[in-house]
Amino acid sequence: MIQSRLIDPFSRTINYLRVSVTDRCDFRCVYCMSENMTFLPKKDLLALEELDRLCTTFIRLGVQKLRITGGEPLVRKNILEFFRSMTRHLETGMLNELTLTTNGSQLARFAKDLFDAGVRRVNISLDTLNDIKFAKITRWGRLNQVLEGIDTAQAQGLKIKINAVALKGVNDDELFLLTEWCADRDMTLTWIEVMPMGDIGNEQRLSQYWSLKDVRSLYKKHYTVTDLIERTGGPARYIRLEETGQKIGFITPLSHNFCESCNRVRVTCTGELYMCLGQEDMVDLRKPLRDFPNTNIPLEDAIRLAIDQKPKGHDFDYSRQRLDGQMARHMSHTGG
């Protein structure tokens, strides 16, 4: 039974939880992390049983959509056990959707098991269809492996959404190629502005930044564009390209603040609850999980305390040609 729902100070109902299950990844994308990353020791990560207890508590407090993230969530040992444990909440109707964001590298192995666990939609990060550029962006990734994963996932009945980070001078020449490829495969395409999170060494985010205002303008020059009012519970705003009939999403934390309708919070793989991706304030949930193994009351109290502190919006900004609002933590730690 759902207890009193989570309502933040701005009357937004929090019903969407994104949970990182690992900070590790088998790629080293240039806008996400350094090539020589130091990952967290295993003891710092929430155990699968702790993840179950935490997510179950959020669901009891009204969370209806649960997205599993990383790092790359499918490299976490025995992660399918966690997905299968969450299936019970889908079966009771307490949880409406269980999904994940992945780089696609492990999908060929896990697509069937994920579908059997109740996953019906998967977001796949894919910025280019060019082998050479893919290797350069991901450093360690192989494009064919991801494409095979997409084929397998679609064959199993999983609905795929492609997330592409807009990178000036990198994939700006593939705008229409990626668009038509997604249309041919009946996949939604969402463009994301590169976000200022974590030290990525010599990579310069200002030079990478390609405003989605420019992307939208290019679409309008080549297609008949219709604005859509629909929302999917996330930050994306959508258009429809009438010539292809497909939806194109835009996630614009820099050129447009989407915070007014924010209904989500994020928990890191170490149990830190971040009320906003673009703010450093957080509440530690690992401590009540581990200090009080026989009662969830301290955990629930910590969650409600966090929601009461949820800010109105984030501070990401490149408009003055500096990294205002830059976060010290990596996206792989927070959860993509």
Side-chain angles (χ1 to χ4, degrees):
M1 179 180 295
I2 295 177
Q3 300 178 4
S4 56
R5 295 184 182 274
L6 300 172
I7 310 292
D8 79 0
F10 304 95
S11 299
R12 297 172 297 197
T13 299
I14 308 305
N15 56 16
Y16 179 8
L17 175 65
R18 302 175 67 106
V19 178
S20 174
V21 296
T22 181
D23 64 330
R24 296 176 184 271
C25 187
D26 49 353
F27 291 177
R28 296 290 186 274
C29 294
V30 296
Y31 51 76
C32 182
M33 62 177 70
S34 300
E35 185 167 9
N36 299 310
M37 286 290 291
T38 299
F39 293 110
L40 295 166
K42 183 178 179 180
K43 65 180 178 61
D44 289 349
L45 303 184
L46 294 183
L48 294 179
E49 296 80 8
E50 291 173 324
L51 287 167
D52 185 321
R53 185 177 159 209
L54 183 145
C55 291
T56 297
T57 300
F58 268 100
I59 292 167
R60 192 166 56 248
L61 295 175
V63 161
Q64 297 173 315
K65 179 176 179 179
L66 177 61
R67 177 173 296 279
I68 307 306
T69 70
E72 170 48 49
L74 296 181
V75 302
R76 173 80 188 253
K77 186 177 180 181
N78 298 323
I79 191 59
L80 281 176
E81 293 180 8
F82 171 73
F83 277 99
R84 292 177 183 126
S85 73
M86 290 296 101
T87 305
R88 71 187 190 275
H89 298 304
L90 294 170
E91 292 173 343
T92 64
M94 292 281 285
L95 186 65
N96 291 342
E97 185 175 27
L98 173 64
T99 184
L100 80 152
T101 296
T102 173
N103 63 27
S105 66
Q106 307 299 316
L107 264 184
R109 293 174 54 203
F110 292 118
K112 183 180 186 304
D113 290 324
L114 289 168
F115 188 89
D116 290 344
V119 176
R120 294 295 177 264
R121 292 194 312 116
V122 176
N123 287 7
I124 299 175
S125 302
L126 179 64
D127 306 319
T128 179
L129 295 172
N130 180 287
D131 288 335
I132 296 174
K133 283 197 285 188
F134 185 86
K136 184 176 180 180
I137 292 171
T138 65
R139 293 191 180 104
W140 293 9
R142 292 184 293 113
L143 179 60
N144 285 342
Q145 186 177 5
V146 175
L147 297 181
E148 180 186 359
I150 292 173
D151 288 340
T152 304
Q154 288 194 306
Q156 290 295 330
L158 290 168
K159 194 75 174 173
I160 303 296
K161 186 179 86 170
I162 299 297
N163 289 338
V165 176
L167 299 167
K168 184 168 63 176
V170 179
N171 61 2
D172 44 2
D173 61 339
E174 293 186 75
L175 174 63
F176 303 118
L177 175 63
L178 270 167
T179 300
E180 299 289 345
W181 179 73
C182 288
D184 290 343
R185 305 203 55 155
D186 191 27
M187 298 186 298
T188 298
L189 171 62
T190 294
W191 292 96
I192 305 172
E193 288 176 334
V194 65
M195 287 187 250
M197 297 191 68
D199 177 13
I200 54 173
N202 294 325
E203 303 296 339
Q204 299 297 313
R205 284 203 175 95
L206 283 174
S207 63
Q208 293 174 341
Y209 174 54
W210 181 24
S211 171
L212 294 191
K213 291 180 180 178
D214 297 336
V215 174
R216 187 185 182 92
S217 295
L218 287 169
Y219 275 130
K220 285 189 172 182
K221 290 179 181 178
H222 288 79
Y223 298 98
T224 304
V225 172
T226 300
D227 291 317
L228 301 178
I229 61 172
E230 70 175 91
R231 299 289 184 265
T232 62
R237 300 296 181 263
Y238 291 94
I239 62 173
R240 182 173 62 245
L241 305 183
E242 297 300 340
E243 286 78 2
T244 66
Q246 76 193 110
K247 286 197 310 181
I248 302 291
F250 300 96
I251 297 179
T252 54
L254 301 170
S255 63
H256 172 70
N257 189 305
F258 49 69
C259 303
E260 69 278 356
S261 61
C262 183
N263 65 342
R264 69 206 66 87
V265 291
R266 298 169 185 259
V267 175
T268 71
C269 51
T270 57
E272 297 167 332
L273 172 56
Y274 282 92
M275 294 73 79
C276 176
L277 179 64
Q279 300 281 2
E280 294 286 14
D281 292 341
M282 65 85 178
V283 171
D284 178 19
L285 300 184
R286 186 175 63 185
K287 182 173 175 57
L289 272 170
R290 293 184 176 176
D291 288 356
F292 301 94
N294 299 317
T295 175
N296 288 323
I297 293 175
L299 175 61
E300 292 178 7
D301 289 345
I303 291 171
R304 292 191 185 281
L305 173 65
I307 301 306
D308 287 343
Q309 298 175 23
K310 185 171 170 63
K312 187 174 184 179
H314 60 68
D315 298 324
F316 291 146
D317 186 10
Y318 284 173
S319 63
R320 292 177 291 277
Q321 290 299 295
R322 63 177 187 265
L323 298 181
D324 287 357
Q326 182 167 1
M327 299 294 105
R329 66 186 188 277
H330 284 87
M331 193 71 177
S332 60
H333 175 73
T334 310

